[in-house]
Amino acid sequence: MRTELSFSAPSQIQTELLAIAAVDTQTAKGPDARPQPELLTSDADVKKAAAAVLSSGEFKAGANEALLLHAPAGLKAKRLLIVGLGKQSRGNVHSVRNAAGTAVRFAKPRGIREVVFALPESDLLPPGPCARAAVEGAFVADFDPDTYRSDRKDLSVQSFTVAAPAGADKGAIEPPFREGVVIGESQNFTRSLVNEPGNKLTPTEFGRRAAAMAKEVGLQCEVHSTDKIKELKMGAFWSVSQGSEEPPALIVLRYEPKGIKDGPILGLVGKGITFDTGGISIKPADNMEKMKYDMAGGAAMIGAMRAIALLKPNVRVISIVCASENMPDGKAQKPGDVQTAMSGKTIEIINTDAEGRLVLADGITYARQLGATHLINAATLTGAIAVALGTHNAGAFSNDDETYARFHAALETSGEKFWRMPLGDEYMDQIKSDIADIKNTGGSRYGGAITAAEFLHAFSEDTPWIHLDIASMAWIEDSKPFIAKGPSGVGVRSILEWVRSYGS
Ligand code: BES
Ligand code: ZN
Ligand code: ZN
């Protein structure tokens, strides 16, 4: 998708589709309170073209509600699309991201390949952040997961233009606009990895794609396999891989800005299970096909590293992705087995389906060994996180309030929804083993996301650390006006902003 920034008045832009945002300004409540849609533009010709339909009561400016006018009088655009941001009081940068996405997804099935999105003119909506959000929203919306359909039609929008508000300062809009391109593309890079089926994206192929991306954007990359994993004594990681014919991949990406010799080193660790059958504790067949997305945490880290390489924050970053299949096999590990992790801790395997925490345990230890001073990990770790939070929030856990505060602030920019969950010794007690240092499940189904987090905590120890359980959000079951169903790319934007908080 080509992107452009225009400083022309929206009414003067020649395009297939001009999208303008509107809010509902009605503040009164009750049965007689009719919606009062208002266009967020100072362009008199646009207002005139939309006046009749706005006063008709047909369009309420609800969030992502869209209304199309053909051949709008007085405008150079062939079509005018009015997109709702919802109640004025609730309109924010994130509603602008979704509105831009709604415009793109409106255009796609209609064969419209060109969209101009006029940034809303409102004191509540700063043009810089809105420009970035609109571009992100456009890229996210342009993605469709049907890549293996032989009759697939390429419906992607070829040109997306952001029209700056009247009198806007180019210097304040252009940099965030450019950032939006990098971030939107990086999130889609993650989504394209997550979308791949397990037979295509094996751990080895995952490593190849990470290496190709690293070469393109100038990151250092090493991809190791069985020998190195054994040499490093990653007994927890290997215990998952030993039951598969496909060799595992230990993907290491490094971002080292020139001239930085001290300060924090951020460690980004991702779960990269390219298919999770459950192993010997095999999963039921229903929905098992979805377990191709069990590498979404690793893919989020790789997408974030792409954005980091291009946006160049002033901080060192290492990313470790532990990629493996989890398969049942004659060589697969069994419940009751005891494994020795890289840190030296011994682990009693209760359930071979709790494999994510095993690969992450060694990923975390390795990141610390490579010098990481602050850790963040992402994983589709537990079904229990969706029981706790539904599918509208992902879980976040941390052993350090200062580190978490940066992540919390990052959410303001990213617009992603993470809810902080507790840790605690009581949960840790649930994973004490009679035979080894720790066991890999908590026994009770209650609090399953927290006992999983405590398991990881036993390996991050006192290094400031954030754990993101994205199992509830990594796959979208039903499409929305601004995003297709399928892989969401959740985490990329927030992890990136967290990293930038240490050195933008
Ligand atoms: N990959 C799953 C978690 C998952 C579930 C991801 C649903 C996405 C959607 C993970 O490896 C797993 O199987 N966890 C078990 C843990 C249990 C055995 C303690 C679970 O959640 O049931
Ligand atoms: Zn599992
Ligand atoms: Zn898993």
Side-chain angles (χ1 to χ4, degrees), residues 271 273 275-278 283 291 294 326 353-357 380-382:
K271 169 177 174 182
I273 300 297
F275 197 80
D276 182 10
T277 65
K283 286 180 181 294
M291 282 301 112
D294 212 17
N326 185 26
D353 196 11
E355 84 299 339
R357 61 198 79 181
T380 46
L381 202 65
T382 67

Side-chain angles (χ1 to χ4, degrees), residues 253-264:
L253 297 171
R254 286 173 212 254
Y255 167 74
E256 284 179 11
K258 284 196 186 78
I260 301 195
K261 292 276 168 287
D262 47 19

